[in-house]
Amino acid sequence: LTEHLLFFVEEVINLSDKIDHHPKLEISAKNVHVVLTTHETGDISSLDLKLAKFCDELFEDVYYIEEFEWVFS
């Protein structure tokens, strides 16, 4: 489980670096919480939606992470 969780996090970080838009990642033994927001606008931007879509698609490949929760703030 841990190696799959780390793979997921690394892929999110790789895309985040590529588009220069970084989510807050809260990682525990079996959970990843991805918090997306654009601080400049205080709202959700197209980059947040792009990351959310990427994470959803990636999650389908790493489906055995037990909990995945989106928090838009």
Side-chain angles (χ1 to χ4, degrees):
L1 176 67
T2 302
E3 64 191 51
H4 300 289
L5 185 133
L6 291 175
F7 171 79
F8 179 85
V9 169
E10 287 174 354
E11 291 299 306
V12 171
I13 290 170
N14 288 337
L15 177 61
S16 299
D17 286 343
K18 186 180 279 188
I19 66 172
D20 194 30
H21 190 71
H22 300 89
K24 178 179 179 183
L25 298 173
E26 299 173 352
I27 305 163
S28 63
K30 295 184 180 182
N31 301 309
V32 177
H33 288 215
V34 180
V35 181
L36 298 167
T37 189
T38 299
H39 299 286
E40 294 81 14
T41 64
D43 203 354
I44 299 167
S45 71
S46 61
L47 291 175
D48 296 310
L49 296 175
K50 182 176 185 170
L51 275 170
K53 183 176 189 244
F54 175 80
C55 289
D56 282 343
E57 291 170 356
L58 181 61
F59 180 72
E60 290 176 7
D61 295 334
V62 190
Y63 63 91
Y64 33 87
I65 294 176
E66 292 181 7
E67 182 179 329
F68 190 82
E69 176 183 334
W70 284 113
V71 179
F72 290 96
S73 61

